[in-house]
Amino acid sequence: MWPIDDLMFALGGKRRSHRAKAVVTGAGSGIGRAFALELAARGGEVVCADIDKERADETVRLIERTHGRTAHAVFCDVSRRADVESLALHAELLFGGAPTLVINNAGVGIGGKPVGDIGFGDWEWALGINLWGVVHGCEIFAPQLRAAGHGGIINVASAAGFAAAPGMAAYNVSKAAVVSLSETMAAELAGNGVAVTALCPTFVRTNVVADGRITSGSSRLADGLMRWTGFSPEAVARTTLDAHDRGVLYVLPQLDARVVWHLKRHFPALYTQALGVLNRVLPQQDSAAAGTNLQKTGV
């Protein structure tokens, strides 16, 4: 998709995902667990952080049983700065230095209500995890990577960050901000030996719907579409790590994400009008549900 990135990698790019000393948030399930397992398969040592310590422990057991690699489970609520600071210190002690790869993956799903009905509590919850969790991870780990002069950061965003589907404002806003943050950091770290990648998937078969705050109608449709059309988290993790090794900034692993990406950029007015018509024609619950196919499912 990005030929110039492939050319630059062929001319001497580094395989950052191989033998990495990696920190993965939200590593207890879904894309986060898939990232942790794939990094271990590539010879890496992984710190598996999750708000559910039992899930993180299970990921560690899977790594040890499947790949025979060293891994560590750490409790971390990414919405709390102190927890991420503690995670960074813990990782530095375990690795004997700074990590070489940080994957800010932890996130939650939310959708099904229009702006004005969402409620400030849900806004604060979604932004606290999906946006501030990534901000904490970048603000705390970026100085370590910059000082080391090598490594990488992968921020898990979503196609929702540019698709702007109705009924998903809190989710859309959080993921759009993650994309913008990643773009900014990529410019700031250019030439410093640290690569930045933003992952923007659509459907991935994970438990994000069950763990999120999504209305019942939206949840039923999303569950069905994930089962029948969603990519596996393993495929997404492999694709993303390979792209990160090539220095790719945006990773859109699915065709529907790439189609929306180009439609939004080449026909922005028409795209927005079409979404508005769809939102008015469909029943409100169904409209919100239709938007859930653009959710990141990285928890």
Side-chain angles (χ1 to χ4, degrees):
M1 183 177 177
W2 314 107
I4 188 65
D5 295 318
D6 293 337
L7 176 61
M8 291 175 66
F9 177 70
L11 294 175
K14 296 180 180 179
R15 297 183 183 275
R16 296 176 182 84
S17 70
H18 292 257
R19 290 180 286 280
K21 295 184 181 297
V23 175
V24 182
T25 66
S29 61
I31 296 176
R33 175 173 284 179
F35 269 128
L37 286 163
E38 182 62 26
L39 286 165
R42 297 179 185 210
E45 181 178 354
V46 188
V47 171
C48 303
D50 202 280
I51 196 170
D52 188 326
K53 179 63 161 45
E54 291 184 1
R55 287 182 178 180
D57 287 332
E58 177 59 25
T59 299
V60 168
R61 287 192 290 271
L62 285 170
I63 288 172
E64 293 172 344
R65 184 167 64 245
T66 306
H67 303 295
R69 302 296 305 179
T70 300
H72 318 272
V74 177
F75 169 84
C76 183
D77 178 349
V78 297
S79 70
R80 295 169 53 88
R81 186 178 71 188
D83 277 19
V84 183
E85 290 172 337
S86 178
L87 172 63
L89 178 60
H90 197 63
E92 190 170 14
L93 292 172
L94 289 168
F95 294 147
T100 61
L101 179 61
V102 176
I103 302 181
N104 293 306
N105 162 77
V108 291
I110 183 169
K113 296 178 181 179
V115 175
D117 292 342
I118 297 170
F120 291 109
D122 279 355
W123 274 103
E124 291 169 358
W125 177 74
L127 295 179
I129 299 168
N130 289 353
L131 174 55
W132 274 105
V134 178
V135 170
H136 290 152
C138 291
E139 188 75 11
I140 291 166
F141 283 103
Q144 294 184 3
L145 296 172
R146 187 185 294 115
H150 61 86
I153 296 175
I154 298 175
N155 293 327
V156 179
S158 170
F162 52 82
M168 294 178 60
Y171 191 82
N172 296 343
V173 168
S174 68
K175 295 306 178 181
V178 170
V179 172
S180 180
L181 173 60
S182 303
E183 293 169 340
T184 304
M185 290 182 64
E188 292 175 347
L189 293 168
N192 193 257
V194 181
V196 179
T197 294
L199 169 60
C200 301
T202 52
F203 271 118
V204 184
R205 292 191 292 272
T206 71
N207 61 355
V208 69
V209 173
D211 289 348
R213 298 183 183 181
I214 303 173
T215 57
S216 59
S218 300
S219 295
R220 287 192 296 272
L221 180 56
D223 280 333
L225 289 173
M226 279 183 194
R227 284 195 300 271
W228 294 106
T229 67
F231 268 35
S232 72
E234 293 78 17
V236 171
R238 285 193 301 271
T239 298
T240 304
L241 291 173
D242 289 344
H244 183 70
D245 284 346
R246 299 195 304 274
V248 174
L249 175 55
Y250 309 105
V251 176
L252 284 63
Q254 296 119 312
L255 176 62
D256 53 350
R258 296 191 289 273
V259 168
V260 171
W261 172 277
H262 289 293
L263 285 175
K264 180 75 177 290
R265 274 150 182 75
H266 294 294
F267 309 101
L270 182 61
Y271 174 84
T272 302
Q273 290 170 6
L275 278 184
V277 169
L278 183 64
N279 191 45
R280 290 192 297 272
V281 169
L282 293 177
Q284 188 61 40
Q285 183 75 346
D286 290 343
S287 175
T292 61
N293 75 326
L294 299 170
Q295 289 189 155
K296 185 276 286 181
T297 54
V299 182

